[in-house]
Amino acid sequence: MLIKEHFGDPGALTRQFPYMKSTFLWKSDDFIITAEALANPNNKYHGLERLAVEHQQAGSWQLAGEYWLIAAGWRRHTMDASNERHVEALQLVLRHVEYNRAMAEWKKKRLGRSAMPYPGQFGLSDD
């Protein structure tokens, strides 16, 4: 009510922000918009990778794997394939996908600790 009283239609005010415009790159992906992400539009997969790490640390292996996989797809779509660092980053993300899938399967089958996958088996650091 206050917005309408002082600024007219709320849409007139909100349309002034770049991320509210229909042409904005991530219009449908508002769940990862932060001030930091807005400063770098190519940063969208980093937000998913941070979510993946959070779920991985919490033991939500399947969900973490899904976030890693979506991030890999976005990385692949936006990266410069001739840039070796981008290729290495994509490979790292895909190793995380495989690790989290293995952990989810281990958890689902309720296997013993001796059958638990370790990050080192997937080319990831154990720390």
Side-chain angles (χ1 to χ4, degrees):
M1 188 172 80
L2 290 174
I3 291 175
K4 189 170 186 176
E5 182 180 327
H6 293 282
F7 302 103
D9 176 17
L13 178 65
T14 57
R15 280 191 296 273
Q16 301 310 309
F17 297 98
Y19 52 86
M20 294 301 288
K21 294 181 180 178
S22 61
T23 56
F24 191 71
L25 185 60
W26 321 338
K27 182 65 176 163
S28 63
D29 304 320
D30 58 349
F31 65 95
I32 60 168
I33 289 183
T34 63
E36 178 184 335
L38 289 172
N40 180 2
N42 293 326
N43 203 21
K44 57 189 168 192
Y45 45 78
H46 290 152
L48 282 172
E49 290 168 353
R50 283 190 292 273
L51 286 173
V53 168
E54 287 176 23
H55 288 288
Q56 185 172 308
Q57 290 172 341
S60 299
W61 310 111
Q62 185 170 350
L63 188 55
E66 296 298 324
Y67 279 125
W68 282 117
L69 189 59
I70 295 168
W74 272 355
R75 267 190 181 278
R76 177 66 184 99
H77 181 70
T78 60
M79 74 180 210
D80 174 8
S82 64
N83 184 322
E84 190 174 315
R85 292 186 67 200
H86 286 190
V87 173
E88 289 172 3
L90 179 61
Q91 291 170 344
L92 176 70
V93 170
L94 291 173
R95 287 194 296 268
H96 276 285
V97 171
E98 293 303 317
Y99 169 68
N100 280 278
R101 284 182 174 173
M103 287 297 290
E105 190 66 21
W106 171 77
K107 184 177 178 181
K108 181 180 175 183
K109 291 184 177 180
R110 299 177 188 224
L111 300 172
R113 189 161 177 82
S114 62
M116 185 173 85
Y118 288 95
Q121 295 171 291
F122 298 87
L124 301 168
S125 172
D126 284 337
D127 34 274

